[in-house]
Amino acid sequence: MRVAFVHLSDIHFGQERNKDLHINNDIKEAVIQDCRRQIQELAPESVAGVLITGDLAYSGKRAEYENAGAWLDRLTAAIGCARTAVRIVPGNHDIDRDEISESIGDMLAAIEAIGEDKLIRYLKNEHDRNALLRRFQDYRLFAEAYDCSLDTDGGWAGDHIVELDEGRTLRILGVNSALTCKKKDAKGKLLLGSKQMTLQVRTPGEELIVLTHHPLDWFQDSDEARKYLRKRARIYLSGHEHNPAVKVDPVSPTADLLTIAAGATVPPTEEGPLKFCYNVLQFETVAGNAELRVTVSPRKWDPDETEFVEDIEQLKAHGKSFDLKCPNFSELLEARKKAVPMSAANPAAPGTAPSPVLASAPPSPPTQGQLTEDFPLLVLRFFRDLNDAQRVEALVQLGALPEDWSGPLSHVIERRGLERLRSAGKLGALKEYLNLRRD
């Protein structure tokens, strides 16, 4: 089975000025059209969504995310995936730098100078934590719509599962590499923090795709992070440096790590000659084979043809397909071999229960039918289509807030309120509210 994603980075909505407004808008339109053609030509069995490794916006402002959301709606429709199937992590341009006051600047400087002990101390204090997270206030609202919440304690920035086949899955893990970003950052001075870098514990049948904005060498704790990444992840996607590149790191005889630097879909114009690029990624499993085949289709802008073309230079050294050794897939397949009879002529007795190791993930509990299936879309509409006052009004009217609640209303409380509506069977009322406000 082949599953495809469109991988974008550094789109910088809101940077457009004067003539660049028309050029950048033309590029974004061309991205949509080229993605549609690529997906049609590649014809994967499934299009799982869009992966964005940071800097969706340019100044971290709400209007930039509103424009980005409208564009992403068109992109997801063009490639034939769910409107909600967008996975994002923040970049340095997703920070509202107007929220970096002198005191916040001092906090960030202290984190850089002292390290994670200072970061943890700030995150444990509610007032300090809220002050640091205000830099992401408009990004956080947008990310909530796509279920890519920023962990307020310094943890991951989203966690999603993609089903492949034979009980094998890909877990897409978002990392907030911009957590300690200032107005201007130096390579090697940022912090990931131990809560993020430890990643997910290895799980049979599940391999990790890690999304982050900054490459590893931007962090003080990069050496420690690299150890976890090489041992626990299979694919590492990043942006920020605007130089597209693909590399395979043979971690061990049984494991590989594929690193993909996206390049910039729409780089800042002050960088000089513009270079627009993105990737289409395909993930494919083969029955009985523990490897994961990843096919990278890099696309770049040809200014002479004024359209996107294949980036042939990127492919010269290694080609476009990589068969990655996957120890977690191997572990699952080995367990399966031990659990079934060696001879196909001697199948397990009828009615024999499958080994727990081999069982697929349990089905979701009984739901409200189609409304529950639409829950991700209702979440998207709640956070993207309603203003602050309307979101409060909706949760109050529908009885979704705790009895002891008193403002302010954080995104975490809002999300819990939506989950409470789902548990209480009130998604129909939420949908009616959203439809009334849309009309």
Side-chain angles (χ1 to χ4, degrees), residues 387-405:
N387 60 35
D388 295 346
Q390 289 171 332
R391 295 199 308 279
V392 173
E393 179 185 67
L395 296 177
V396 170
Q397 284 188 10
L398 299 176
L401 295 176
E403 292 183 0
D404 59 350
W405 170 76

Side-chain angles (χ1 to χ4, degrees), residues 138-149:
D138 291 330
Y139 171 85
R140 287 180 69 194
L141 179 66
F142 188 80
E144 286 287 351
Y146 292 99
D147 195 20
C148 295
S149 311

Side-chain angles (χ1 to χ4, degrees), residues 5 11 18 42 64 99 117 159 161-162 178 187 227 236 330 353 377 383 410:
F5 286 92
I11 312 174
N18 303 320
L42 295 170
E64 298 170 353
E99 294 294 333
D117 287 344
D159 181 4
I161 294 290
V162 175
K187 183 177 285 192
K227 295 175 185 177
Y236 180 65
S330 178
L377 181 58
F383 284 107
S410 70

Side-chain angles (χ1 to χ4, degrees), residues 114-143:
I114 297 172
E116 189 177 6
D117 287 344
K118 179 63 73 172
L119 172 63
I120 291 174
R121 183 173 177 179
Y122 287 143
L123 290 176
K124 284 184 176 179
N125 181 285
E126 181 180 0
H127 298 293
D128 291 340
R129 179 174 65 247
N130 290 338
L132 286 173
L133 292 175
R134 269 201 307 271
R135 299 172 297 143
F136 297 99
Q137 59 184 359
D138 291 330
Y139 171 85
R140 287 180 69 194
L141 179 66
F142 188 80

Side-chain angles (χ1 to χ4, degrees), residues 64-289:
E64 298 170 353
Y65 294 113
E66 290 174 353
N67 291 333
W71 183 80
L72 285 170
D73 287 348
R74 295 180 59 224
L75 175 61
T76 52
I79 63 177
C81 71
R83 182 181 169 194
T84 55
V86 176
R87 310 301 171 218
I88 58 175
V89 292
N92 51 300
H93 280 282
D94 290 305
I95 289 173
D96 185 346
R97 299 183 187 188
D98 292 338
E99 294 294 333
I100 304 179
S101 63
E102 183 176 353
S103 59
I104 300 301
D106 289 343
M107 292 172 68
L108 294 168
I111 293 170
E112 179 180 310
I114 297 172
E116 189 177 6
D117 287 344
K118 179 63 73 172
L119 172 63
I120 291 174
R121 183 173 177 179
Y122 287 143
L123 290 176
K124 284 184 176 179
N125 181 285
E126 181 180 0
H127 298 293
D128 291 340
R129 179 174 65 247
N130 290 338
L132 286 173
L133 292 175
R134 269 201 307 271
R135 299 172 297 143
F136 297 99
Q137 59 184 359
D138 291 330
Y139 171 85
R140 287 180 69 194
L141 179 66
F142 188 80
E144 286 287 351
Y146 292 99
D147 195 20
C148 295
S149 311
L150 289 188
D151 183 86
T152 56
D153 294 324
W156 302 325
D159 181 4
H160 300 89
I161 294 290
V162 175
E163 299 287 343
L164 293 174
D165 57 21
E166 297 184 317
R168 291 180 285 184
T169 60
L170 296 174
R171 180 181 292 271
I172 302 173
L173 208 59
V175 171
N176 181 6
S177 67
L179 180 61
T180 64
C181 278
K182 305 189 299 297
K183 289 186 176 181
K184 188 173 180 59
D185 301 298
K187 183 177 285 192
K189 298 298 184 180
L190 300 179
L191 271 174
L192 278 176
S194 57
K195 191 171 183 181
Q196 292 199 105
M197 76 166 66
T198 48
L199 302 177
Q200 174 78 21
V201 175
R202 285 184 50 183
T203 303
E206 178 180 283
E207 294 288 1
L208 290 187
I209 301 176
V210 176
L211 308 185
T212 186
H213 181 61
H214 296 82
L216 277 179
D217 55 1
W218 278 78
F219 306 108
Q220 295 183 30
D221 45 3
S222 62
D223 288 344
E224 193 67 19
R226 185 174 284 105
K227 295 175 185 177
Y228 283 101
L229 185 69
R230 295 179 78 245
K231 292 299 183 180
R232 297 189 176 184
R234 209 54 51 225
I235 298 146
Y236 180 65
L237 307 182
S238 66
H240 189 61
E241 292 191 340
H242 304 172
N243 296 315
V246 180
K247 178 186 176 183
V248 175
D249 179 5
V251 175
S252 73
T254 60
D256 294 316
L257 173 66
L258 176 64
T259 300
I260 302 175
T265 303
V266 185
T269 54
E270 63 265 22
E271 291 189 358
L274 298 183
K275 186 176 184 180
F276 309 97
C277 54
Y278 77 95
N279 297 313
V280 177
L281 307 178
Q282 294 182 89
F283 302 92
E284 183 176 5
T285 58
V286 179
N289 190 323

